[in-house]
Amino acid sequence: MSGSPKYSQAQLERERRERLERERCQRAAEEARRRQEAEAREKQRRLEARRQQVQQQVETLKRELSQQQPHLYPEAAQILQQQLQEQQQTLAKATSEASLGEVSRQFDRLQTDLKRHLAQKRRDDEAKKRQAELERQQFALGELQRQLIEIPDGTKFAPQSEAELAEKLANIKQLLQSGDPARVRHPLQSAEQALEQYRQQVAECRAEWHRRQGEAQENLGSLQALIAGLQADPVVMRWQSAAVAQLAQQSQTAEQAISSEQFEAIAPLLSTCQQQSQSLIDAANAAQLQADQRDYIADSIAQSLESLGFGIIYRQPEHPDNPASAVILGAASHGGKGISVSIPTEGEVFYDVEGYSKQTTTAVGGGSAAVCDEAESVISEMHDRLQAEFGVEMGELQWQGKDPNRHLRQADSLPRTDSPRHRLHS
């Protein structure tokens, strides 16, 4: 047997391979459960945070409604109070971010209705105080200007309509200075209609904006929950930590997109991450199964060597920072003979022998071939035990320059040589 690498093919028998696969499936199910629990906790945390936000919105509206009640018609105040109570009941029953978002939008509408009712009563009260039409018109103009200012986010959601309405109001102010109420009536009425249209336009745009924002926030929450689940999975983090870190960067990208109001960018980002996450999980499980098989083979080889009289002197990964690294076993006998074995996650098992005799024989067909029958005999016996006791099927022992037609001789007939080490490849 030459000093070149020797090798053979390691393959688990079907029953033991299926057992490993079943064990991996069981572990994968438990890992999936932990991912789901992590996702559920993250969703629950977001739900409670959102509920607190909406509750603060409720308290603000209740406080403002209480303060402004003297300035409302009794009927309007009663309606607003009733609607507020109904929405509070809905809030108490809300169990999702989507339902909480709808309740929030309803409170926003109540806030708008409150301001509208307040404005209506202010206008009516002032009309009662003023008898002269010019005085009423002057008040109406001021009211329009006030309401225009009070409508939030008008510049953001309807800038052109806001500019047109401001121009109408400026024109009415000039007409009032003429002292002719007839010239003011139609422009004032047109401005009032324009204000209602503007308010409605802003309210619709704001509602749509909040809907898009809420949907984006929900998708962001799903993305963050997905990442939290992956980060809670030890197998995924062992084999795919870099890929999970890249997904976490996608979460930051989503947050930036929401900050810049690019709400529609979140859904496709979430979809892509969901597809990638499943691929990561599948790849991690496949890699873990290979590592489990490697470890089983390494355990089986170690026990087989011990049963042959060897002591295991070291067992370590070839590359400690790489979970897919081959496992290196070192074993020595009382007679000073040693065998080291490299067991990869896939591919051939390599042997390195030390202290065994080596000789050169004539190969069939001419030439010569290096042989080490004693080492080959020990490894072959170990292969038999691996098959019989552990279900590990090892292929024929191979090495570079091996004579395919030679027969294994008795180890005690080997002459000694000066070469102390031979590398076998199984």
Side-chain angles (χ1 to χ4, degrees):
M1 184 176 289
S2 72
S4 61
K6 284 71 179 177
Y7 58 89
S8 68
Q9 184 68 36
Q11 181 178 359
L12 296 180
E13 64 181 13
R14 178 179 178 182
E15 178 181 350
R16 298 178 187 272
R17 185 176 63 253
E18 290 178 349
R19 187 187 71 188
L20 285 177
E21 290 174 350
R22 289 194 299 272
E23 291 174 352
R24 175 89 299 269
C25 288
Q26 292 173 355
R27 296 190 189 102
E30 177 62 19
E31 292 151 5
R33 182 187 64 77
R34 288 197 292 268
R35 288 197 304 272
Q36 292 171 357
E37 290 177 351
E39 291 179 10
R41 287 193 299 271
E42 177 62 16
K43 289 181 179 179
Q44 185 62 32
R45 183 194 67 78
R46 287 181 54 84
L47 181 64
E48 294 304 321
R50 181 61 172 140
R51 188 184 301 279
Q52 291 178 4
Q53 292 176 355
V54 178
Q55 187 61 44
Q56 291 175 357
Q57 188 179 2
V58 172
E59 297 301 326
T60 300
L61 181 56
K62 287 173 62 179
R63 184 169 55 253
E64 186 174 0
L65 183 57
S66 176
Q67 294 172 349
Q68 298 294 342
Q69 187 166 0
H71 307 291
L72 291 168
Y73 285 117
E75 298 82 359
Q78 183 178 1
I79 291 173
L80 290 173
Q81 287 285 1
Q82 181 179 356
Q83 292 176 341
L84 177 59
Q85 291 175 0
E86 291 174 353
Q87 291 306 316
Q88 285 182 286
Q89 294 174 357
T90 303
L91 172 60
K93 298 177 182 178
T95 58
S96 67
E97 285 193 47
S99 58
L100 286 174
E102 177 60 28
V103 172
S104 176
R105 289 188 287 274
Q106 291 296 332
F107 284 126
D108 189 53
R109 294 189 187 99
L110 286 177
Q111 185 76 32
T112 300
D113 290 344
L114 172 60
K115 293 185 180 299
R116 180 170 55 81
H117 285 300
L118 289 170
Q120 179 66 44
K121 193 168 188 303
R122 285 196 302 265
R123 185 169 55 249
D124 293 347
D125 290 343
E126 188 64 19
K128 294 176 182 178
K129 296 176 183 178
R130 300 178 182 272
Q131 299 299 318
E133 190 172 0
L134 281 175
E135 291 178 350
R136 186 195 65 79
Q137 290 173 344
Q138 183 64 50
F139 168 77
L141 175 61
E143 182 59 28
L144 290 175
Q145 292 171 331
R146 185 184 302 110
Q147 292 182 47
L148 177 61
I149 295 173
E150 289 178 349
I151 296 176
D153 299 324
T155 303
K156 176 178 181 179
F157 294 120
Q160 183 175 354
S161 296
E162 182 186 45
E164 292 174 353
L165 182 55
E167 184 178 356
K168 288 178 180 291
L169 298 180
N171 183 48
I172 292 172
K173 184 177 180 180
Q174 291 182 349
L175 292 175
L176 281 171
Q177 294 175 357
S178 68
D180 184 359
R183 297 180 60 189
V184 178
R185 291 179 192 135
H186 180 71
L188 184 59
Q189 182 180 10
S190 176
E192 289 172 343
Q193 294 174 351
L195 178 65
E196 287 302 317
Q197 293 172 357
Y198 170 68
R199 178 187 286 113
Q200 183 65 27
Q201 182 181 4
V202 172
E204 291 175 356
C205 292
R206 186 190 302 112
E208 175 62 16
W209 185 89
H210 281 299
R211 184 196 65 77
R212 291 169 53 233
Q213 183 196 47
E215 184 177 312
Q217 289 286 0
E218 291 173 24
N219 289 332
L220 173 60
S222 298
L223 176 57
Q224 292 174 335
L226 175 67
I227 294 170
L230 292 174
Q231 291 173 337
D233 188 327
V235 171
V236 170
M237 294 305 294
R238 181 179 303 120
W239 298 100
Q240 298 291 335
S241 59
V244 173
Q246 291 180 351
L247 289 183
Q249 291 179 353
Q250 296 300 317
S251 175
Q252 297 176 0
T253 300
E255 291 177 351
Q256 294 172 357
I258 291 178
S259 298
S260 59
E261 299 187 10
Q262 298 176 8
F263 302 135
E264 283 69 26
I266 313 302
L269 191 62
L270 172 61
S271 177
T272 300
C273 290
Q274 287 172 332
Q275 295 174 4
Q276 292 176 349
S277 70
Q278 188 57 53
S279 298
L280 296 184
I281 294 169
D282 294 342
N285 282 327
Q288 185 62 47
L289 179 58
Q290 284 187 322
D292 292 342
Q293 293 179 9
R294 173 202 63 195
D295 294 341
Y296 180 82
I297 293 172
D299 292 341
S300 302
I301 290 175
Q303 294 179 49
S304 297
L305 286 172
E306 288 176 336
S307 69
L308 292 174
F310 286 83
I312 304 301
I313 56 178
Y314 62 84
R315 173 176 177 164
Q316 61 193 35
E318 185 175 4
H319 303 287
D321 295 333
N322 183 2
S325 167
V327 171
I328 307 298
L329 288 176
S333 69
H334 293 297
K337 297 176 182 180
I339 297 178
S340 66
V341 190
S342 173
I343 307 101
T345 54
E346 58 181 340
E348 289 83 6
V349 174
F350 282 85
Y351 302 98
D352 210 356
V353 299
E354 185 173 349
Y356 289 91
S357 299
K358 172 189 174 185
Q359 69 176 3
T360 301
T361 62
T362 300
V364 176
S368 62
V371 297
C372 184
D373 287 348
E374 184 181 6
E376 182 181 1
S377 177
V378 171
I379 295 175
S380 296
E381 184 177 355
M382 183 188 71
H383 283 187
D384 292 341
R385 298 199 179 199
L386 287 173
Q387 168 69 40
E389 298 180 18
F390 302 100
V392 179
E393 300 174 357
M394 303 295 293
E396 181 183 355
L397 191 65
Q398 303 289 340
W399 63 87
Q400 185 176 1
K402 177 182 178 181
D403 181 0
N405 297 301
R406 82 178 192 86
H407 298 286
L408 181 66
R409 299 187 299 164
Q410 295 299 320
D412 56 10
S413 68
L414 291 174
R416 290 191 172 275
T417 69
D418 296 332
S419 178
R421 302 183 69 216
H422 312 293
R423 182 163 179 81
L424 294 83
H425 183 198
S426 175

